[in-house]
Amino acid sequence: MLIVANWKAYVETMEKAKRLLSVAKRLSMAGHHEIVIAPSAPHLGYLAGGNRTSVEFAAQDVSQTLGGAATGEVTAGLLADLGVSYVIVGHSERRAAGETDAIVLEKTRHALAHGLIPILCIGERERDAEAAYITHLRTQLSSVLSVLSQKERMRMVIAYEPIWAIGKSAAESITSADLTEMVLYIRKILGEFLPGKGNLKVRILYGGSVESANARTLAASSGIDGFLIGHASVDAASFGAIAKAVS
Ligand code: PEP
């Protein structure tokens, strides 16, 4: 399983960041999963620099610009130079701040051009009776995949994160049956862009209130390749319990 910890802006001190990282290192040394930590930009700079452990790092976002006069931006080049492996693009919290599919595409392309692996977040705001959410997911995926080369498509990680399930509790998260259906649908779209076995190289993660109480059930038969975890990833005990639950 690929387990990505999205610390968002939850971790406010370096002391806590270091503590959480040492838990992640222990889990990663246990060897069951690929553990990726996505700290805030300042903590990423501190923790990822000179990283020699099996824990990998992700940026929570990347700039649309490539450099130059762009105050406050963190470019793909800077992240690559730091040794960061992954970049989350199109997270719903960034989309809510105005990020369009076109911007997500640009960020994805910058990440790929610098050797970073994009974790492309897609997900519907609500499950409407007319199933418009299905079309919404197709649009979010196609707007990026249609522009990439076959080789670039195979480097993508897709994180299915229904917005209605984010930041709640395990009891309010997606059901295993619904997740299985959504993973099948996402795989079908991936198959259109990567026919044959190529699409199997693309990992599909689930994110949205994954906690120790639902991790095992969600992972069991849904076809997902891992999780993107928000609030439960900044609680050392919960994060450890999730990793153990899906071992
Ligand atoms: C997220 O926002 O990426 C996420 C998965 O959050 P949470 O686990 O808190 O629902």
Side-chain angles (χ1 to χ4, degrees):
M1 298 284 275
L2 169 60
I3 300 186
V4 184
N6 179 8
W7 288 357
K8 308 193 185 194
Y10 287 128
V11 181
E12 287 171 344
T13 64
M14 186 59 79
E15 197 197 327
K16 178 159 186 193
K18 285 185 191 164
R19 230 180 18 247
L20 287 170
L21 179 60
S22 64
V23 171
K25 282 181 185 166
R26 272 205 306 279
L27 293 172
S28 139
M29 278 184 322
H32 300 300
H33 309 293
E34 181 181 350
I35 307 275
V36 177
I37 302 297
S40 63
H43 287 168
L44 180 66
Y46 184 86
L47 300 173
N51 174 42
R52 300 264 179 282
T53 72
S54 53
V55 171
E56 290 173 281
F57 286 91
Q60 295 180 10
D61 189 20
V62 64
S63 179
Q64 204 185 336
T65 65
L66 284 172
T71 305
E73 296 293 321
V74 179
T75 63
L78 286 171
L79 295 172
D81 187 54
L82 199 59
V84 168
S85 311
Y86 293 86
V87 173
I88 298 172
V89 288
H91 191 280
S92 57
E93 286 151 15
R94 305 254 29 109
R95 291 184 192 261
E99 195 161 291
T100 60
D101 284 339
I103 295 174
V104 174
L105 169 63
E106 219 173 334
K107 292 183 171 188
T108 302
R109 298 193 83 180
H110 291 337
L112 287 166
H114 285 85
L116 303 164
I117 302 173
I119 301 173
L120 170 63
C121 298
I122 58 168
E124 73 279 6
R125 185 161 299 283
E126 58 172 5
R127 298 208 142 205
D128 57 308
E130 290 76 35
Y133 63 93
I134 293 281
T135 314
H136 177 71
L137 289 187
R138 177 177 281 280
T139 306
Q140 285 187 323
L141 267 177
S142 309
S143 60
V144 172
L145 294 179
S146 62
V147 184
L148 304 182
S149 68
Q150 294 287 97
K151 220 165 136 193
E152 287 173 329
R153 288 171 185 163
M154 282 193 267
R155 300 198 59 228
M156 299 293 293
V157 173
I158 308 299
Y160 170 57
E161 298 210 301
I163 299 169
W164 53 264
I166 290 180
K168 306 248 173 77
S169 67
E172 297 162 282
S173 184
I174 198 165
T175 64
S176 175
D178 284 347
L179 180 58
T180 305
E181 201 177 285
M182 295 314 292
V183 171
L184 275 174
Y185 179 64
I186 292 165
R187 243 331 134 214
K188 177 178 173 294
I189 300 173
L190 290 174
E192 292 168 18
F193 288 100
L194 285 164
K197 291 202 171 134
N199 78 80
L200 298 176
K201 292 210 183 299
V202 181
R203 287 169 292 179
I204 303 176
L205 311 183
Y206 169 74
S209 297
V210 176
E211 296 179 342
S212 55
N214 60 351
R216 191 197 294 268
T217 316
L218 290 178
S221 56
S222 61
I224 54 164
D225 303 295
F227 290 123
L228 178 51
I229 304 172
H231 65 270
S233 74
V234 294
D235 179 304
S238 296
F239 191 57
I242 292 171
K244 284 197 189 95
V246 296
S247 285

